[in-house]
Each structure stands twice: as C-alpha cells, then as structure tokens.
Amino acid sequence: MKVTFPHMGHIYIPLRAFFTALGVEVVVPPPVSRETLSLGTRYAPEFACLPLKVNVGNFLEAARKGADTVVMAGGVGPCRFGYYAQVEQEILRDLGVNLRMVVLEPPQGHWRELWQGLRDITGGAGLREIWRAGRLAWRKLTVLDELEHEVHRARAQEGERGATTRAWQRILDQVDEAGSVPEVEEAARRGKVLLKALPRREGEAPLRIGIVGEIYTVLEPAVNLELERVLGEMGAIVERSIYLSDWVKTNLVLHSLHLRDDREEYRLAAPYLGHFVGGHGLESISWTVRYARAGFDGVIQLAPLTCMPEIVAESILPKVSRDVGIPVLTFMLDEHASEVGVRTRLEAFCDLLCARRRQKEGGTAFAGVSRH
Ligand code: SF4
C-alpha cells in the first residue's frame, strides 16, 4: 500500500512520520503549484470550494508518483467539508484513477470507525504502535507550530530579505528528517539557534496583524499566495487564529473527550453572532475582537470564494471593525487570485495601518474595512 493525503501547510511532516513509523509507505504529493490547481479546477465542479479542487489536484499528482490509497479526513457540521471525501472519490472514479479512499471520521462518536480505518491502513497495527507513531507525529507538529511563531516575529525584522524563509525551510527539513522524539527535540533546539542568529534590523515597532478565516486558506501558503511571508517581508508581525496543533487538540482530542470549552469564543462573538455557522466563521468574529483588545493594528480574513461560514463572518465584520476599532481586510480567494493583486492590496492595507498608528499617536481614532 502506498498512502497519500492532501497538502495543508506543513501537515505532510507529522503525517509522513506517523505512517512511516507504522511501516506504511508514504507518497507525499508535490507541493501545491499552478499545475495542482489547474488539474483540480479541470476536474472538480466549478462551484466547489477551492480546497476541494486543490485536494483533487494533490491526489492526481500523487497517483502519478505511484500512490494507490488516499487518507482523507471526514467531517460533520453545516458546511460542505463533510462531503469532500465522497465527492473526491466520485471524481477520481469518473476519471478512472485507481486510488482507494480511506476516510478517517472525526472521533466524536466514531471511535470504532476511526480505529478500523487506522488498522485498515496500517495492516492491523496495535494500540501501542499507533500510540508511539502518534507521539512522534504530535511532537513534530507542536515543535513546528512553536517555531513558526518565532519565524513570524523574526521575518518582520530580518536584516537580509529572505533569510528567515530560508532558515524556516531548513528547520522544516530537519524536523521532517528526525526519526525519534529526541531527534525532534534536537532539531527544535538547532532551529531556535538558527532563528536567533539571523541578522535583525532596528527601527520602528513592526505592525501586528491577526489572520482569521477558513482553516485551509489560512494554513496553506500556496493557496493564500504566501500572504504571511509577504506581510513579514513588508515588516509586519503576523499571528494566526489557527495553528494546526491547537486545532488537533481542540477538535480531535478535547472534543472527543467532551472537554472542549468554546465558551470564550461564544462570549466574544455573542454581540454579533449567537450560534455556530460551520467551519471557523464564529472564530473569525471572536478572534477579531480578541486582536483588537490585544492592541493589534489590523486583521485579515482569508477564505475561499463561496465559503459559507466565512461569508456569514464577512457580512458581520464591518460592524465588529467599527465597534472595536480595528481595520479588517477580507480576501475571498479562488483559482483566479493573483500574487500581484494580493500584494497590491496588502501594501495599501499596511500603509493604512501605519497612517492609523500615526493618527492614534496624534489622538484621532480611525477604522475601516476593505474587501478584495
Ligand atoms: S469551511 Fe468553507 S471552504 Fe471549507 S468546506 Fe466549508 S464552505 Fe467549503
């Protein structure tokens, strides 16, 4: 069996570690590119969410490299994610592509299915082996998320353009190559040293921008046109509302044990939105409030075009922006989004945030919402 899975940020690193530790051969799809997108948009329905199109492109590219099995997450809730795996399976079948799809349902209420799916992929691995493989994968995931926070800070003040991005790529490779938890710790230690040694430039305090929105668009740089890197190189520190390790902890672990506590999200969003709308729509509101209270300069909302939960959030954000006094810029992205268009909007947004900072220092308030 040669297993593949969709790309989403650096998730390929813990997933590769997990399956390899269980003796399963892994075929990581090539990084998301224009070719991936072009394959996905050619064969997926036009009105499908962008992540589904990218997934289809990933699977077709992985099949060319010899993958024969796709591992895909299932989903529940009011948006379309719950149907992704089934729709993707139909598309592959229509194309005559010989890829078997194993859907791992979220564990809440589906423990048996999840367990059976894992045993099916791993040829009957026992609980102890799965636990060990999971521990290695989890440590890789948490280390990368911790280091990525530092990368965002370092990039905003780097003395040499591109040095942080090169260092981050080295860190990703070293963590990917680590074969045990102690080796992951060592890779993390070296990564911290590497980031600390980067030349920094002195100057004004960097802008601080919070990123909210749909998880896939937030986490996959090829889909958001490397927005975090571009903002960092413009001198802004970026913080995300979603890191993969937090998502796994909250949605897969705490939720399954009935220990998930969303009260703070609901409390912050309550004046604007009183119920779950699927995806991360509610969190886009609560995190915007949180960023404003934490003194951030602005917020950027990212979502695929036609994303239902984020359309709900987008319609509410202008009021949130006015009430809490923080500018919000929305990008609804699809396969036609261009790097130049995104960069131009980001430059204008950063100019606006700088002007607003100066105005505030002079005693006048200012807030605005912009949509791409
Ligand atoms: S959250 Fe948005 S992009 Fe993701 S499946 Fe739901 S509607 Fe589609």
Side-chain angles (χ1 to χ4, degrees), residues 242-262:
I242 308 167
Y243 283 83
L244 206 47
S245 53
D246 293 334
W247 185 87
V248 170
K249 194 161 66 185
T250 309
N251 290 273
L252 301 187
V253 183
L254 297 178
H255 196 159
S256 314
L257 300 171
H258 303 287
L259 294 173
R260 179 176 173 162
D261 186 358
D262 286 331

PDB file of all heavy atoms in Angstrom, residues 242-262:
ATOM      1  N   ILE A 242      -5.436  30.279  13.932  1.00  0.00           N
ATOM      2  CA  ILE A 242      -5.447  28.813  13.847  1.00  0.00           C
ATOM      3  C   ILE A 242      -4.031  28.285  13.659  1.00  0.00           C
ATOM      4  O   ILE A 242      -3.354  28.649  12.692  1.00  0.00           O
ATOM      5  CB  ILE A 242      -6.266  28.325  12.622  1.00  0.00           C
ATOM      6  CG1 ILE A 242      -7.650  28.955  12.590  1.00  0.00           C
ATOM      7  CG2 ILE A 242      -6.360  26.797  12.602  1.00  0.00           C
ATOM      8  CD1 ILE A 242      -8.369  28.768  11.272  1.00  0.00           C
ATOM      9  N   TYR A 243      -3.604  27.444  14.573  1.00  0.00           N
ATOM     10  CA  TYR A 243      -2.401  26.643  14.375  1.00  0.00           C
ATOM     11  C   TYR A 243      -2.859  25.190  14.409  1.00  0.00           C
ATOM     12  O   TYR A 243      -3.777  24.836  15.166  1.00  0.00           O
ATOM     13  CB  TYR A 243      -1.354  26.929  15.458  1.00  0.00           C
ATOM     14  CG  TYR A 243      -0.647  28.242  15.191  1.00  0.00           C
ATOM     15  CD1 TYR A 243      -1.222  29.445  15.599  1.00  0.00           C
ATOM     16  CD2 TYR A 243       0.547  28.279  14.489  1.00  0.00           C
ATOM     17  CE1 TYR A 243      -0.603  30.652  15.314  1.00  0.00           C
ATOM     18  CE2 TYR A 243       1.168  29.490  14.203  1.00  0.00           C
ATOM     19  CZ  TYR A 243       0.592  30.660  14.616  1.00  0.00           C
ATOM     20  OH  TYR A 243       1.194  31.861  14.323  1.00  0.00           O
ATOM     21  N   LEU A 244      -2.233  24.382  13.588  1.00  0.00           N
ATOM     22  CA  LEU A 244      -2.710  23.013  13.409  1.00  0.00           C
ATOM     23  C   LEU A 244      -2.732  22.219  14.719  1.00  0.00           C
ATOM     24  O   LEU A 244      -3.668  21.472  14.989  1.00  0.00           O
ATOM     25  CB  LEU A 244      -1.801  22.316  12.384  1.00  0.00           C
ATOM     26  CG  LEU A 244      -2.413  21.177  11.597  1.00  0.00           C
ATOM     27  CD1 LEU A 244      -3.771  21.525  11.033  1.00  0.00           C
ATOM     28  CD2 LEU A 244      -1.459  20.778  10.490  1.00  0.00           C
ATOM     29  N   SER A 245      -1.694  22.418  15.549  1.00  0.00           N
ATOM     30  CA  SER A 245      -1.649  21.634  16.795  1.00  0.00           C
ATOM     31  C   SER A 245      -2.804  22.037  17.721  1.00  0.00           C
ATOM     32  O   SER A 245      -3.406  21.184  18.376  1.00  0.00           O
ATOM     33  CB  SER A 245      -0.309  21.811  17.512  1.00  0.00           C
ATOM     34  OG  SER A 245      -0.037  23.174  17.702  1.00  0.00           O
ATOM     35  N   ASP A 246      -3.160  23.337  17.738  1.00  0.00           N
ATOM     36  CA  ASP A 246      -4.297  23.770  18.569  1.00  0.00           C
ATOM     37  C   ASP A 246      -5.582  23.148  18.038  1.00  0.00           C
ATOM     38  O   ASP A 246      -6.451  22.722  18.786  1.00  0.00           O
ATOM     39  CB  ASP A 246      -4.452  25.303  18.529  1.00  0.00           C
ATOM     40  CG  ASP A 246      -3.281  25.982  19.205  1.00  0.00           C
ATOM     41  OD1 ASP A 246      -2.666  25.355  20.069  1.00  0.00           O
ATOM     42  OD2 ASP A 246      -2.980  27.140  18.844  1.00  0.00           O
ATOM     43  N   TRP A 247      -5.690  23.127  16.698  1.00  0.00           N
ATOM     44  CA  TRP A 247      -6.902  22.584  16.085  1.00  0.00           C
ATOM     45  C   TRP A 247      -7.045  21.098  16.434  1.00  0.00           C
ATOM     46  O   TRP A 247      -8.117  20.634  16.805  1.00  0.00           O
ATOM     47  CB  TRP A 247      -6.857  22.786  14.557  1.00  0.00           C
ATOM     48  CG  TRP A 247      -8.111  22.351  13.901  1.00  0.00           C
ATOM     49  CD1 TRP A 247      -9.241  23.091  13.695  1.00  0.00           C
ATOM     50  CD2 TRP A 247      -8.405  21.033  13.400  1.00  0.00           C
ATOM     51  NE1 TRP A 247     -10.209  22.322  13.097  1.00  0.00           N
ATOM     52  CE2 TRP A 247      -9.724  21.064  12.900  1.00  0.00           C
ATOM     53  CE3 TRP A 247      -7.678  19.849  13.317  1.00  0.00           C
ATOM     54  CZ2 TRP A 247     -10.337  19.950  12.332  1.00  0.00           C
ATOM     55  CZ3 TRP A 247      -8.291  18.731  12.757  1.00  0.00           C
ATOM     56  CH2 TRP A 247      -9.601  18.789  12.271  1.00  0.00           C
ATOM     57  N   VAL A 248      -5.935  20.350  16.321  1.00  0.00           N
ATOM     58  CA  VAL A 248      -5.984  18.905  16.619  1.00  0.00           C
ATOM     59  C   VAL A 248      -6.366  18.703  18.085  1.00  0.00           C
ATOM     60  O   VAL A 248      -7.234  17.899  18.416  1.00  0.00           O
ATOM     61  CB  VAL A 248      -4.613  18.243  16.317  1.00  0.00           C
ATOM     62  CG1 VAL A 248      -4.565  16.813  16.846  1.00  0.00           C
ATOM     63  CG2 VAL A 248      -4.339  18.261  14.818  1.00  0.00           C
ATOM     64  N   LYS A 249      -5.731  19.488  18.966  1.00  0.00           N
ATOM     65  CA  LYS A 249      -6.008  19.332  20.403  1.00  0.00           C
ATOM     66  C   LYS A 249      -7.480  19.611  20.702  1.00  0.00           C
ATOM     67  O   LYS A 249      -8.155  18.847  21.373  1.00  0.00           O
ATOM     68  CB  LYS A 249      -5.109  20.304  21.193  1.00  0.00           C
ATOM     69  CG  LYS A 249      -5.065  19.982  22.662  1.00  0.00           C
ATOM     70  CD  LYS A 249      -3.872  20.613  23.341  1.00  0.00           C
ATOM     71  CE  LYS A 249      -3.985  22.122  23.323  1.00  0.00           C
ATOM     72  NZ  LYS A 249      -2.854  22.831  23.831  1.00  0.00           N
ATOM     73  N   THR A 250      -7.996  20.717  20.148  1.00  0.00           N
ATOM     74  CA  THR A 250      -9.375  21.110  20.465  1.00  0.00           C
ATOM     75  C   THR A 250     -10.394  20.199  19.792  1.00  0.00           C
ATOM     76  O   THR A 250     -11.320  19.712  20.441  1.00  0.00           O
ATOM     77  CB  THR A 250      -9.624  22.564  19.993  1.00  0.00           C
ATOM     78  OG1 THR A 250      -8.586  23.363  20.498  1.00  0.00           O
ATOM     79  CG2 THR A 250     -10.959  23.084  20.459  1.00  0.00           C
ATOM     80  N   ASN A 251     -10.207  19.971  18.487  1.00  0.00           N
ATOM     81  CA  ASN A 251     -11.259  19.282  17.732  1.00  0.00           C
ATOM     82  C   ASN A 251     -11.171  17.764  17.798  1.00  0.00           C
ATOM     83  O   ASN A 251     -12.196  17.095  17.726  1.00  0.00           O
ATOM     84  CB  ASN A 251     -11.219  19.712  16.263  1.00  0.00           C
ATOM     85  CG  ASN A 251     -11.680  21.138  16.118  1.00  0.00           C
ATOM     86  OD1 ASN A 251     -12.862  21.409  15.996  1.00  0.00           O
ATOM     87  ND2 ASN A 251     -10.743  22.064  16.174  1.00  0.00           N
ATOM     88  N   LEU A 252      -9.962  17.233  17.882  1.00  0.00           N
ATOM     89  CA  LEU A 252      -9.852  15.773  17.874  1.00  0.00           C
ATOM     90  C   LEU A 252      -9.736  15.192  19.275  1.00  0.00           C
ATOM     91  O   LEU A 252     -10.291  14.145  19.555  1.00  0.00           O
ATOM     92  CB  LEU A 252      -8.657  15.324  17.017  1.00  0.00           C
ATOM     93  CG  LEU A 252      -8.695  15.772  15.545  1.00  0.00           C
ATOM     94  CD1 LEU A 252      -7.575  15.134  14.757  1.00  0.00           C
ATOM     95  CD2 LEU A 252     -10.040  15.438  14.888  1.00  0.00           C
ATOM     96  N   VAL A 253      -9.007  15.885  20.150  1.00  0.00           N
ATOM     97  CA  VAL A 253      -8.790  15.298  21.474  1.00  0.00           C
ATOM     98  C   VAL A 253      -9.856  15.784  22.464  1.00  0.00           C
ATOM     99  O   VAL A 253     -10.687  15.010  22.936  1.00  0.00           O
ATOM    100  CB  VAL A 253      -7.360  15.624  21.992  1.00  0.00           C
ATOM    101  CG1 VAL A 253      -7.122  14.957  23.340  1.00  0.00           C
ATOM    102  CG2 VAL A 253      -6.315  15.164  20.974  1.00  0.00           C
ATOM    103  N   LEU A 254      -9.853  17.094  22.750  1.00  0.00           N
ATOM    104  CA  LEU A 254     -10.764  17.603  23.789  1.00  0.00           C
ATOM    105  C   LEU A 254     -12.233  17.379  23.410  1.00  0.00           C
ATOM    106  O   LEU A 254     -13.044  16.985  24.250  1.00  0.00           O
ATOM    107  CB  LEU A 254     -10.497  19.094  24.034  1.00  0.00           C
ATOM    108  CG  LEU A 254      -9.099  19.411  24.572  1.00  0.00           C
ATOM    109  CD1 LEU A 254      -8.900  20.904  24.747  1.00  0.00           C
ATOM    110  CD2 LEU A 254      -8.881  18.708  25.920  1.00  0.00           C
ATOM    111  N   HIS A 255     -12.565  17.611  22.139  1.00  0.00           N
ATOM    112  CA  HIS A 255     -13.957  17.426  21.711  1.00  0.00           C
ATOM    113  C   HIS A 255     -14.410  15.977  21.937  1.00  0.00           C
ATOM    114  O   HIS A 255     -15.500  15.711  22.430  1.00  0.00           O
ATOM    115  CB  HIS A 255     -14.087  17.803  20.233  1.00  0.00           C
ATOM    116  CG  HIS A 255     -15.511  18.020  19.820  1.00  0.00           C
ATOM    117  ND1 HIS A 255     -15.862  18.746  18.714  1.00  0.00           N
ATOM    118  CD2 HIS A 255     -16.682  17.607  20.361  1.00  0.00           C
ATOM    119  CE1 HIS A 255     -17.173  18.772  18.594  1.00  0.00           C
ATOM    120  NE2 HIS A 255     -17.692  18.082  19.584  1.00  0.00           N
ATOM    121  N   SER A 256     -13.527  15.037  21.576  1.00  0.00           N
ATOM    122  CA  SER A 256     -13.889  13.620  21.723  1.00  0.00           C
ATOM    123  C   SER A 256     -14.073  13.236  23.183  1.00  0.00           C
ATOM    124  O   SER A 256     -14.853  12.349  23.498  1.00  0.00           O
ATOM    125  CB  SER A 256     -12.784  12.734  21.152  1.00  0.00           C
ATOM    126  OG  SER A 256     -12.404  13.218  19.924  1.00  0.00           O
ATOM    127  N   LEU A 257     -13.325  13.905  24.064  1.00  0.00           N
ATOM    128  CA  LEU A 257     -13.435  13.574  25.492  1.00  0.00           C
ATOM    129  C   LEU A 257     -14.486  14.445  26.196  1.00  0.00           C
ATOM    130  O   LEU A 257     -14.581  14.437  27.416  1.00  0.00           O
ATOM    131  CB  LEU A 257     -12.070  13.775  26.174  1.00  0.00           C
ATOM    132  CG  LEU A 257     -10.923  12.916  25.621  1.00  0.00           C
ATOM    133  CD1 LEU A 257      -9.588  13.345  26.195  1.00  0.00           C
ATOM    134  CD2 LEU A 257     -11.178  11.434  25.928  1.00  0.00           C
ATOM    135  N   HIS A 258     -15.234  15.220  25.383  1.00  0.00           N
ATOM    136  CA  HIS A 258     -16.256  16.141  25.918  1.00  0.00           C
ATOM    137  C   HIS A 258     -15.641  17.169  26.865  1.00  0.00           C
ATOM    138  O   HIS A 258     -16.247  17.575  27.853  1.00  0.00           O
ATOM    139  CB  HIS A 258     -17.380  15.370  26.627  1.00  0.00           C
ATOM    140  CG  HIS A 258     -18.034  14.367  25.726  1.00  0.00           C
ATOM    141  ND1 HIS A 258     -18.872  14.721  24.700  1.00  0.00           N
ATOM    142  CD2 HIS A 258     -17.909  13.021  25.655  1.00  0.00           C
ATOM    143  CE1 HIS A 258     -19.262  13.639  24.051  1.00  0.00           C
ATOM    144  NE2 HIS A 258     -18.685  12.590  24.604  1.00  0.00           N
ATOM    145  N   LEU A 259     -14.386  17.548  26.581  1.00  0.00           N
ATOM    146  CA  LEU A 259     -13.716  18.547  27.431  1.00  0.00           C
ATOM    147  C   LEU A 259     -13.499  19.870  26.691  1.00  0.00           C
ATOM    148  O   LEU A 259     -12.869  20.775  27.200  1.00  0.00           O
ATOM    149  CB  LEU A 259     -12.345  18.008  27.888  1.00  0.00           C
ATOM    150  CG  LEU A 259     -12.386  16.802  28.812  1.00  0.00           C
ATOM    151  CD1 LEU A 259     -10.984  16.257  29.049  1.00  0.00           C
ATOM    152  CD2 LEU A 259     -13.036  17.176  30.140  1.00  0.00           C
ATOM    153  N   ARG A 260     -13.994  19.944  25.459  1.00  0.00           N
ATOM    154  CA  ARG A 260     -13.788  21.165  24.685  1.00  0.00           C
ATOM    155  C   ARG A 260     -14.549  22.315  25.319  1.00  0.00           C
ATOM    156  O   ARG A 260     -15.719  22.163  25.672  1.00  0.00           O
ATOM    157  CB  ARG A 260     -14.292  20.912  23.255  1.00  0.00           C
ATOM    158  CG  ARG A 260     -14.158  22.087  22.364  1.00  0.00           C
ATOM    159  CD  ARG A 260     -14.577  21.727  20.958  1.00  0.00           C
ATOM    160  NE  ARG A 260     -14.592  22.906  20.139  1.00  0.00           N
ATOM    161  CZ  ARG A 260     -14.583  22.868  18.820  1.00  0.00           C
ATOM    162  NH1 ARG A 260     -14.568  21.727  18.189  1.00  0.00           N
ATOM    163  NH2 ARG A 260     -14.609  23.987  18.138  1.00  0.00           N
ATOM    164  N   ASP A 261     -13.886  23.439  25.435  1.00  0.00           N
ATOM    165  CA  ASP A 261     -14.528  24.589  26.067  1.00  0.00           C
ATOM    166  C   ASP A 261     -14.512  25.787  25.109  1.00  0.00           C
ATOM    167  O   ASP A 261     -13.491  26.450  24.943  1.00  0.00           O
ATOM    168  CB  ASP A 261     -13.776  24.920  27.378  1.00  0.00           C
ATOM    169  CG  ASP A 261     -14.486  26.020  28.152  1.00  0.00           C
ATOM    170  OD1 ASP A 261     -15.507  26.532  27.645  1.00  0.00           O
ATOM    171  OD2 ASP A 261     -14.012  26.371  29.246  1.00  0.00           O
ATOM    172  N   ASP A 262     -15.654  26.029  24.469  1.00  0.00           N
ATOM    173  CA  ASP A 262     -15.755  27.124  23.488  1.00  0.00           C
ATOM    174  C   ASP A 262     -16.397  28.376  24.078  1.00  0.00           C
ATOM    175  O   ASP A 262     -16.761  29.289  23.341  1.00  0.00           O
ATOM    176  CB  ASP A 262     -16.654  26.684  22.309  1.00  0.00           C
ATOM    177  CG  ASP A 262     -15.943  25.703  21.403  1.00  0.00           C
ATOM    178  OD1 ASP A 262     -14.718  25.778  21.324  1.00  0.00           O
ATOM    179  OD2 ASP A 262     -16.636  24.887  20.783  1.00  0.00           O
TER     180      ASP A 262
END
